[in-house]
């Protein structure tokens, strides 16, 4: 889980992305254009601190974009945690993330 918020008036749309060995080129399982369709979850932040919990099993790949791999994220082989802002209507962002922690199992 983690705490997150956005600055007042800034975009609220954020995607939590967690590349694993299947989606990251360094994992050796994908090649070229088949990579980087990472597992993740779409979030809508508020102006106040909120604690978010995103179970591994809830993270999905984006359908119709890049290669899709069966099964859930491999939590034993994650490469990084990313917070991606891709809001075409509001390209400005001010996001705050605090106290990221990994707990439990899949």
């Amino acid at each position: 889980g983690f705490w997150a918020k956005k600055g007042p008036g800034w975009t609220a749309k954020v995607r939590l992305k967690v590349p694993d060995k299947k989606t990251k080129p360094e994992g050796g399982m994908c090649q070229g254009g088949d990579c980087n369709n990472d597992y993740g979850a779409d979030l809508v932040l508020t102006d106040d601190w909120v604690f978010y919990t995103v179970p591994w099993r809830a993270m999905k790949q984006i359908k119709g974009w890049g290669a899709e791999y069966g099964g859930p994220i491999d939590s034993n082989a994650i490469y990084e945690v990313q917070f991606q802002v891709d809001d075409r209507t509001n390209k400005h962002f001010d996001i705050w993330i605090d106290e990221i922690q990994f707990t439990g199992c899949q």
Side-chain angles (χ1 to χ4, degrees):
F2 57 91
W3 291 91
K5 73 174 189 169
K6 69 174 189 68
W10 300 93
T11 187
K13 298 175 184 177
V14 175
R15 180 163 177 83
L16 167 65
K17 292 178 58 172
V18 182
D20 73 352
K21 69 181 181 183
K22 293 180 273 188
T23 65
K24 191 81 171 164
E26 292 88 335
M29 296 182 71
C30 65
Q31 303 221 346
D34 288 339
C35 296
N36 301 316
N37 184 7
D38 302 319
Y39 290 87
D42 294 322
L43 307 172
V44 178
L45 304 183
T46 69
D47 291 357
D48 298 311
W49 286 107
V50 174
F51 188 77
Y52 294 85
T53 301
V54 183
W56 297 119
R57 68 183 170 278
M59 293 187 185
K60 306 291 181 204
Q61 292 182 284
I62 297 174
K63 294 204 179 289
W65 187 96
E68 294 179 43
Y69 299 94
I73 189 171
D74 186 342
S75 62
N76 293 312
I78 63 172
Y79 278 81
E80 56 204 33
V81 174
Q82 304 172 8
F83 292 88
Q84 181 182 63
V85 177
D86 187 18
D87 183 347
R88 296 172 200 281
T89 61
N90 184 353
K91 297 182 187 230
H92 302 283
F93 64 91
D94 180 18
I95 61 172
W96 300 52
I97 309 295
D98 197 15
E99 298 182 34
I100 297 173
Q101 52 189 302
F102 298 100
T103 58
C105 55
Q106 292 195 32

